[in-house]
Amino acid sequence: MKSIIFSLIKANKIPISKIILDELEPFQVQLFLKRLDHIHPAVSGNKYYKLIYNLREAKKLGYKKVLTFGGAFSNHIFATAAAAKDFGLQSIGVIRGEPTLPLNPTLTFAREKGMELTYLNRKQYRIKDSPEILKKLEDQFPSFYLIPEGGTNALAIQGAGEILSPSDFEMDVIALSVGTGGTIAGILSKAEQNQKVLGFPALKGNFVQDEVKHLLTQNSIHPTCEWEIIGDHHFGGYGKFQPELIDFIKYFKNKTGIPLDPIYTGKLMFGILEEIKKGRFQKGNKIMAIHTGGLQGIAGFNQRFGENLESQ
Ligand SMILES: *Cc1c(COP(=O)(O)O)cnc(C)c1O
């Protein structure tokens, strides 16, 4: 069976929005946003690209189920549940922390897609890749295809390379959010010599740059483009935020109609606007940011923090 979503992506039907904001006018750059959040109502964003080749591989090797790891609000868990179902595979989500009922919106969705949920306490979760824990999981769920936390592996990087379509090579700058670095590694494998790729980490710390370099080496990717990690716009670290970020996300939605998530894409767009205002880009530059999705997390975020961000 051919995956519906895979056909959609292949057809190059990802819309690009032009971002028009008064405060950007003096800088005379053109800002675009590639809307991976529009791939599919449920499976949106970069995670799907990262999963495609893994799910195909799992099927090719004859596996009936995939197992992966994530936090209780994880975009990766959400996407794996939906995509595995789409590919006719069972899925198991190994969730960090203790089970809490009622399930949050992310895990409710995952369950609805047939994902089986199991939990590791934080201590066990930290050593989830150890032979001991993997053996325990293998006993519990015999013969699964393992997809790492966040979905980053060689096949994921290959899939992420397909995010770029031919017209994207006309852009001077490509900007995207960085978590594990799998997506930017894929982009760097494809971006062209005259382009510049900018990564905006959702996490705090210089290790992000090293992590990306490590992934490039490990996967024999030798970028021909220039690239840079801009680590100034993480708002305190992964999952951390400040009122300024929430205000910005609301402002951006109000002005452009485009929802951003507070974990990844909100920080990206905040960061890219700051960099434009700092005068980093030349007049006439075409800058394309990538909306990597993550909007599913907004419902849970609102619940936890009493916010009222819009997810569509
Ligand atoms: C996971 C995720 C990222 C980070 O992708 P990596 O490949 O881990 O760097 C960025 N944006 C969104 C919305 C995500 O869900």
Short mmCIF file of all heavy atoms in Angstrom, two decimals, residues 173-199:
data_model
loop_
_atom_site.label_atom_id
_atom_site.label_comp_id
_atom_site.label_asym_id
_atom_site.label_seq_id
_atom_site.Cartn_x
_atom_site.Cartn_y
_atom_site.Cartn_z
N VAL A 173 19.07 32.32 1.70
CA VAL A 173 19.23 31.85 3.08
C VAL A 173 18.11 30.87 3.40
O VAL A 173 16.95 31.11 3.04
CB VAL A 173 19.17 33.04 4.07
CG1 VAL A 173 19.26 32.56 5.51
CG2 VAL A 173 20.26 34.06 3.76
N ILE A 174 18.46 29.79 4.07
CA ILE A 174 17.45 28.85 4.57
C ILE A 174 17.64 28.79 6.09
O ILE A 174 18.75 28.57 6.58
CB ILE A 174 17.63 27.45 3.97
CG1 ILE A 174 17.43 27.51 2.44
CG2 ILE A 174 16.67 26.45 4.59
CD1 ILE A 174 17.82 26.24 1.71
N ALA A 175 16.56 29.01 6.83
CA ALA A 175 16.65 29.05 8.29
C ALA A 175 15.70 28.02 8.88
O ALA A 175 14.57 27.87 8.41
CB ALA A 175 16.31 30.44 8.80
N LEU A 176 16.18 27.31 9.89
CA LEU A 176 15.30 26.33 10.52
C LEU A 176 15.67 26.10 11.98
O LEU A 176 16.77 26.45 12.42
CB LEU A 176 15.31 25.00 9.76
CG LEU A 176 16.56 24.13 9.82
CD1 LEU A 176 16.20 22.69 9.53
CD2 LEU A 176 17.60 24.60 8.81
N SER A 177 14.70 25.54 12.69
CA SER A 177 14.89 25.23 14.10
C SER A 177 15.71 23.95 14.23
O SER A 177 15.63 23.05 13.39
CB SER A 177 13.51 25.07 14.74
OG SER A 177 13.65 24.66 16.07
N VAL A 178 16.50 23.86 15.29
CA VAL A 178 17.36 22.69 15.50
C VAL A 178 17.09 22.07 16.87
O VAL A 178 17.09 22.77 17.89
CB VAL A 178 18.85 23.09 15.41
CG1 VAL A 178 19.74 21.88 15.62
CG2 VAL A 178 19.16 23.74 14.06
N GLY A 179 16.84 20.76 16.86
CA GLY A 179 16.71 20.00 18.11
C GLY A 179 17.87 19.02 18.18
O GLY A 179 18.97 19.36 18.61
N THR A 180 17.64 17.81 17.69
CA THR A 180 18.73 16.82 17.64
C THR A 180 19.70 17.11 16.50
O THR A 180 20.79 16.54 16.47
CB THR A 180 18.18 15.40 17.42
OG1 THR A 180 17.51 15.39 16.15
CG2 THR A 180 17.20 15.01 18.50
N GLY A 181 19.28 17.92 15.53
CA GLY A 181 20.15 18.26 14.40
C GLY A 181 19.93 17.41 13.16
O GLY A 181 20.55 17.64 12.12
N GLY A 182 19.05 16.43 13.25
CA GLY A 182 18.81 15.54 12.10
C GLY A 182 18.29 16.29 10.89
O GLY A 182 18.71 16.04 9.76
N THR A 183 17.37 17.20 11.15
CA THR A 183 16.76 17.92 10.02
C THR A 183 17.76 18.83 9.34
O THR A 183 17.87 18.83 8.11
CB THR A 183 15.53 18.71 10.52
OG1 THR A 183 14.67 17.83 11.22
CG2 THR A 183 14.77 19.32 9.35
N ILE A 184 18.51 19.58 10.12
CA ILE A 184 19.47 20.49 9.49
C ILE A 184 20.56 19.69 8.76
O ILE A 184 21.04 20.10 7.70
CB ILE A 184 20.06 21.52 10.50
CG1 ILE A 184 20.73 22.66 9.73
CG2 ILE A 184 21.03 20.90 11.48
CD1 ILE A 184 21.15 23.85 10.58
N ALA A 185 20.92 18.52 9.28
CA ALA A 185 21.91 17.70 8.59
C ALA A 185 21.40 17.31 7.20
O ALA A 185 22.14 17.36 6.21
CB ALA A 185 22.24 16.45 9.42
N GLY A 186 20.12 16.97 7.12
CA GLY A 186 19.52 16.64 5.81
C GLY A 186 19.52 17.84 4.88
O GLY A 186 19.83 17.73 3.70
N ILE A 187 19.17 19.00 5.42
CA ILE A 187 19.16 20.23 4.62
C ILE A 187 20.58 20.53 4.13
O ILE A 187 20.79 20.91 2.97
CB ILE A 187 18.62 21.42 5.46
CG1 ILE A 187 17.17 21.16 5.90
CG2 ILE A 187 18.75 22.75 4.71
CD1 ILE A 187 16.14 21.16 4.82
N LEU A 188 21.55 20.36 5.00
CA LEU A 188 22.94 20.66 4.63
C LEU A 188 23.46 19.70 3.56
O LEU A 188 24.37 20.04 2.81
CB LEU A 188 23.84 20.62 5.87
CG LEU A 188 23.65 21.78 6.84
CD1 LEU A 188 24.42 21.55 8.14
CD2 LEU A 188 24.07 23.10 6.20
N SER A 189 22.87 18.53 3.49
CA SER A 189 23.31 17.57 2.46
C SER A 189 22.84 18.00 1.08
O SER A 189 23.33 17.52 0.07
CB SER A 189 22.81 16.16 2.79
OG SER A 189 21.42 16.07 2.53
N LYS A 190 21.86 18.90 1.03
CA LYS A 190 21.26 19.28 -0.25
C LYS A 190 21.46 20.75 -0.63
O LYS A 190 21.41 21.09 -1.81
CB LYS A 190 19.74 19.02 -0.19
CG LYS A 190 19.36 17.55 -0.20
CD LYS A 190 19.59 16.94 -1.58
CE LYS A 190 19.47 15.43 -1.57
NZ LYS A 190 18.10 14.99 -1.28
N ALA A 191 21.65 21.61 0.35
CA ALA A 191 21.73 23.05 0.04
C ALA A 191 22.91 23.32 -0.89
O ALA A 191 23.91 22.59 -0.86
CB ALA A 191 21.87 23.84 1.33
N GLU A 192 22.77 24.34 -1.71
CA GLU A 192 23.80 24.59 -2.74
C GLU A 192 24.81 25.62 -2.30
O GLU A 192 24.60 26.37 -1.35
CB GLU A 192 23.10 24.97 -4.05
CG GLU A 192 22.36 23.76 -4.59
CD GLU A 192 21.67 23.99 -5.92
OE1 GLU A 192 21.64 25.14 -6.40
OE2 GLU A 192 21.16 22.99 -6.47
N GLN A 193 25.89 25.64 -3.04
CA GLN A 193 27.08 26.42 -2.70
C GLN A 193 26.79 27.90 -2.42
O GLN A 193 27.39 28.50 -1.55
CB GLN A 193 28.05 26.32 -3.86
CG GLN A 193 29.46 26.59 -3.47
CD GLN A 193 30.41 26.24 -4.62
OE1 GLN A 193 30.00 25.74 -5.66
NE2 GLN A 193 31.67 26.53 -4.43
N ASN A 194 25.89 28.46 -3.20
CA ASN A 194 25.61 29.90 -3.04
C ASN A 194 24.59 30.18 -1.95
O ASN A 194 24.14 31.31 -1.79
CB ASN A 194 25.14 30.48 -4.38
CG ASN A 194 23.95 29.71 -4.92
OD1 ASN A 194 23.61 28.63 -4.42
ND2 ASN A 194 23.29 30.27 -5.91
N GLN A 195 24.19 29.14 -1.22
CA GLN A 195 23.18 29.34 -0.17
C GLN A 195 23.84 29.35 1.20
O GLN A 195 24.95 28.85 1.38
CB GLN A 195 22.15 28.21 -0.22
CG GLN A 195 21.36 28.21 -1.52
CD GLN A 195 20.20 27.24 -1.49
OE1 GLN A 195 20.39 26.04 -1.43
NE2 GLN A 195 18.99 27.78 -1.56
N LYS A 196 23.10 29.93 2.15
CA LYS A 196 23.57 29.88 3.52
C LYS A 196 22.46 29.28 4.39
O LYS A 196 21.30 29.66 4.27
CB LYS A 196 23.92 31.29 4.01
CG LYS A 196 24.38 31.30 5.44
CD LYS A 196 25.34 32.42 5.75
CE LYS A 196 25.95 32.17 7.13
NZ LYS A 196 26.85 33.22 7.54
N VAL A 197 22.82 28.34 5.23
CA VAL A 197 21.84 27.68 6.09
C VAL A 197 22.08 28.13 7.53
O VAL A 197 23.20 28.08 8.03
CB VAL A 197 21.94 26.14 5.98
CG1 VAL A 197 21.01 25.47 6.97
CG2 VAL A 197 21.63 25.69 4.55
N LEU A 198 21.02 28.60 8.17
CA LEU A 198 21.11 29.06 9.56
C LEU A 198 20.25 28.17 10.46
O LEU A 198 19.07 27.98 10.20
CB LEU A 198 20.62 30.50 9.67
CG LEU A 198 21.35 31.56 8.83
CD1 LEU A 198 20.71 32.93 9.06
CD2 LEU A 198 22.84 31.59 9.18
N GLY A 199 20.85 27.66 11.50
CA GLY A 199 20.12 26.83 12.46
C GLY A 199 19.88 27.60 13.75
O GLY A 199 20.79 28.22 14.28
#
